[in-house]
């Protein structure tokens, strides 16, 4: 069963969901820029009998507190500091890390800095040390100006359009994504669950997602899942990830772009086999 929990990390309340017994090998699953921990519900359910899966809501997303100082706090360095505080409070010295998009960037920077030696294996879901600028600009444009709707079904239609590149989701999965991604405004309309100010990251930290320096310092096994039609992680960058730094294994995921939803047996099995290659404490 899923468990909901709140921890204070660097003075901000961070929400997380947990799956599986605490004594099982721990896996941190960290979501993308404008998403939340609930994106991993299918993934965590599939792993829960063998792994302790911990899925945080990033500051300003989901049920976590919003930033008090957006210009300073909405950046990878602060997210890594909060991740370190979260692991410390959970008493986790060694973890595997599965990160979608921004969650992968947090894992990459963390593994090269504050979490060096604590992340055993790193899975990057359509993320790399360099991201295509046009795709980043499109994400910033829609994420920074979230629309509002009178009805939840209208918001679902919006999500189906902007997240079509996630790949196949059933009607039930689209409804779940919608219901775990909304908040009501004072006027009763519904909008996205996150703080729109989180896109200030791109203004105040313009090179946050240029991580080749961190990448070249990594000394751990890395698996990268690249959506076949991804416009964010280019084929050229994925090839460079194979050739330098930790020399990642790269798997092409058909039928999706940015980013695979990690909701199919094939995608989940690929990750679990990679994580299971190292079961030492």
């Amino acid at each position: 069963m899923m468990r909901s929990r709140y921890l204070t990390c660097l003075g901000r309340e961070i929400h997380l969901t947990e799956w599986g017994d605490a004594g099982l090998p721990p896996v941190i699953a960290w979501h993308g820029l404008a998403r939340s921990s609930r994106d991993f519900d299918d993934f965590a359910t599939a792993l829960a009998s063998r792994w302790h899966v911990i899925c945080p809501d990033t500051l300003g997303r989901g049920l976590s507190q919003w930033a008090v100082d957006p210009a300073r706090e909405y950046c990878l360095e602060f997210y890594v500091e909060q991740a370190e505080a979260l692991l410390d409070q959970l008493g986790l010295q060694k973890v595997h890390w599965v990160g979608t998009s921004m969650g992968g960037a947090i894992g990459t920077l963390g593994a090269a800095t504050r979490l060096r030696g604590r992340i055993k294996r790193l899975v990057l879901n359509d993320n790399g040390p360099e991201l295509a600028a046009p795709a980043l600009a499109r994400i910033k444009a829609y994420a920074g100006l979230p629309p509002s709707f009178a009805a939840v079904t209208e918001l679902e239609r919006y999500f189906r359009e902007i997240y079509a590149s996630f790949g196949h989701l059933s009607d039930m999965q689209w409804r779940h994504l919608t219901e775990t991604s909304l908040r009501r405004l004072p006027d009763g309309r519904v909008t996205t669950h996150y703080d729109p100010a989180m896109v200030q990251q791109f203004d105040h930290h313009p090179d946050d997602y240029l991580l080749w320096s961190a990448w070249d310092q990594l000394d751990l096994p890395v698996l990268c899942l690249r959506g076949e039609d991804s416009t964010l992680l280019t084929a050229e960058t994925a090839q460079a990830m194979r050739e330098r730094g930790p020399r990642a294994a790269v798997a092409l995921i058909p039928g999706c772009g940015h980013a695979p939803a990690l909701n199919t047996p094939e995608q989940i099995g690929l990750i679990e086999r990679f994580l299971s290659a190292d079961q030492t404490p």
Side-chain angles (χ1 to χ4, degrees), residues 8 10 42 58 71 94 120 123 142 163 173 210 212 224 268:
T8 300
L10 304 188
D42 288 338
T58 310
K94 300 276 189 177
K120 297 166 64 177
V123 178
Y142 79 70
Y163 296 137
Q173 288 169 327
L210 190 59
W212 283 116
C224 173
I268 295 170

Side-chain angles (χ1 to χ4, degrees), residues 69-123:
D69 183 356
R72 182 179 68 88
E73 297 173 30
Y74 288 142
C75 68
L76 294 183
E77 183 178 1
F78 195 76
Y79 300 154
V80 168
E81 289 186 53
Q82 288 196 312
E84 180 185 35
L86 186 145
L87 264 59
D88 289 347
Q89 291 189 56
L90 293 174
L92 300 175
Q93 294 305 312
K94 300 276 189 177
V95 300
H96 294 311
W97 188 288
V98 178
T100 293
S101 194
M102 178 194 72
I106 297 170
T108 297
L109 183 61
T113 57
R114 289 179 172 271
L115 300 178
R116 189 173 186 87
R118 297 181 71 174
I119 298 177
K120 297 166 64 177
R121 285 177 171 257
L122 176 63
V123 178

Side-chain angles (χ1 to χ4, degrees), residues 120-133:
K120 297 166 64 177
R121 285 177 171 257
L122 176 63
V123 178
L124 304 178
N125 184 23
D126 211 61
N127 175 262
E130 184 174 349
L131 303 175

Side-chain angles (χ1 to χ4, degrees), residues 204-251:
H204 297 287
H205 309 273
D207 295 325
D208 235 11
Y209 290 95
L210 190 59
L211 293 172
W212 283 116
S213 177
W215 179 260
D216 289 335
Q217 297 178 53
L218 297 185
D219 58 356
L220 76 170
V222 179
L223 170 66
C224 173
L225 277 60
R226 178 178 179 266
E228 182 179 35
D229 302 317
S230 178
T231 57
L232 192 70
L233 179 61
T234 67
E236 291 75 16
T237 297
Q239 182 59 34
M241 292 167 69
R242 292 185 175 100
E243 297 171 351
R244 59 187 283 189
R247 298 181 183 273
V250 178

